[in-house]
Amino acid sequence: DSYSETLGQLLADPDLFETVIRGCQDWDSITPFQQSQCHIFYHQHLMHFRVAFQLHEKGSIDDDVYQSIEDVQIKFMANPGNRVWWKMVGESLVEEKLTRLINDKLARAEGTDAATTEAWAFFDPKNWGAASPGGTS
């Protein structure tokens, strides 16, 4: 529910959606006000992941469910702008164990030019046909 609520903010405000996408791609290309908006959105996104991480640690979430949540979070955070935010403030928002996990995963995602495309591909209509079974690119 919390993740749906977070994404619902983007649907309710196209300007915010555009700001978040631009911030993901290039943190320095957006205004300080827009950076604040992105910070709030990224923080909510991270807190959703944190809850999933904690529940998984306690055995309350199955491995496959947790892994799908982790995969989305890492793809999201692998964006160049998200990496800037993560180093500036994100690391300080979660416990050390989760910080280490995210840093390890991001280090392995280093050099991936497709990060932004992958993170937002689900929301881009031009990718829908390719994502469906038997779809064409």
Side-chain angles (χ1 to χ4, degrees), residues 45-46 49 68-78 102:
H45 205 277
L46 179 62
F49 178 54
S68 68
I69 295 168
E70 180 183 288
D71 290 348
V72 167
Q73 181 67 27
I74 297 305
K75 282 181 181 179
F76 180 68
M77 292 186 68
I102 291 170

Side-chain angles (χ1 to χ4, degrees), residues 64-136:
D64 59 338
V65 172
Y66 168 76
Q67 194 58 57
S68 68
I69 295 168
E70 180 183 288
D71 290 348
V72 167
Q73 181 67 27
I74 297 305
K75 282 181 181 179
F76 180 68
M77 292 186 68
N79 288 294
N82 294 72
R83 288 177 186 266
V84 171
W85 173 83
W86 171 246
K87 288 299 180 188
M88 278 191 327
V89 67
E91 286 182 325
S92 68
L93 298 173
V94 295
E95 57 272 26
E96 189 176 322
K97 186 174 185 177
L98 182 53
T99 298
R100 278 194 314 270
L101 172 100
I102 291 170
N103 283 332
D104 289 347
K105 299 282 182 170
L106 288 176
R108 282 183 261 170
E110 206 71 54
T112 195
D113 294 332
T116 300
T117 303
E118 290 174 12
W120 293 101
F122 181 78
F123 301 104
D124 188 343
K126 72 180 177 218
N127 295 319
W128 292 348
S132 65
T136 58

Side-chain angles (χ1 to χ4, degrees), residues 20-32:
V20 168
I21 291 172
R22 284 184 49 226
C24 285
Q25 295 167 346
D26 182 1
W27 183 259
D28 294 326
S29 73
I30 57 177
T31 68

